[in-house]
Amino acid sequence: GTATYTKPVTVKPYPNISHEPDTTICQSQSVTLSTPTGTSYGYNWVHSGSTISTTNSITVTPNSTTQYLLTVTGPGACKRRDTINITVQTPTNGTFHDSLCPQDGSEITIQADSAGSYLWNTGATSQSITVSSPGIYTVTESYGTSLCQSTSLPFNLGTSLPVVPLC
């Protein structure tokens, strides 16, 4: 005859793992990375080969573009792994370059250095503005996803404040 032997098998579930998508932040900003909690779950966040946390949620402030590895261990030692990439944008400081030397009553063009989008204190949104009136001019530059902004030092044209040398 033929013998049949039945042995019960317990199938253990993989842990649930979900987290924020890859993201972009501005330098010096923090971002919180987290995954849902589960009964008897274990968590391991790794950066550059070292464990940085064993909780389900961490807040990080990377100085450069980096990757985090998350391993979630469920009941029965089943594991799931995933990576999260954080891109760090570094704004440049806004500075000015003049395009012509002012003469009495003439105009001067003030141009911001770097690429991005611009908002001048005059309301203009171009990379450069042409002015003839004395005043203080600043520009806020936004980069990439507009998370990073940099506001220039004032450009003083014919005011009682120290005047930036033009020529």
Side-chain angles (χ1 to χ4, degrees), residues 39-90:
T39 304
S40 302
Y41 279 16
Y43 309 92
N44 192 40
W45 293 91
V46 175
H47 177 256
S48 298
S50 298
T51 296
I52 58 171
S53 179
T54 56
T55 63
N56 76 303
S57 179
I58 60 170
T59 300
V60 294
T61 311
N63 291 320
S64 60
T65 297
T66 193
Q67 185 176 76
Y68 296 90
L69 171 66
L70 168 62
T71 302
V72 179
T73 305
C78 294
K79 294 181 180 185
R80 281 221 167 125
R81 290 184 175 90
D82 203 356
T83 57
I84 304 166
N85 296 299
I86 307 295
T87 301
V88 178
Q89 292 182 339
T90 306

Side-chain angles (χ1 to χ4, degrees), residues 119-159:
L119 178 60
W120 293 85
N121 63 331
T122 63
T125 57
S126 57
Q127 185 175 4
S128 62
I129 59 172
T130 301
V131 296
S132 59
S133 300
I136 298 173
Y137 301 94
T138 60
V139 61
T140 299
E141 299 176 63
S142 298
Y143 309 91
T145 62
S146 296
L147 291 172
C148 298
Q149 292 186 339
S150 175
T151 301
S152 68
L153 295 174
F155 181 92
N156 304 306
L157 181 62
T159 66

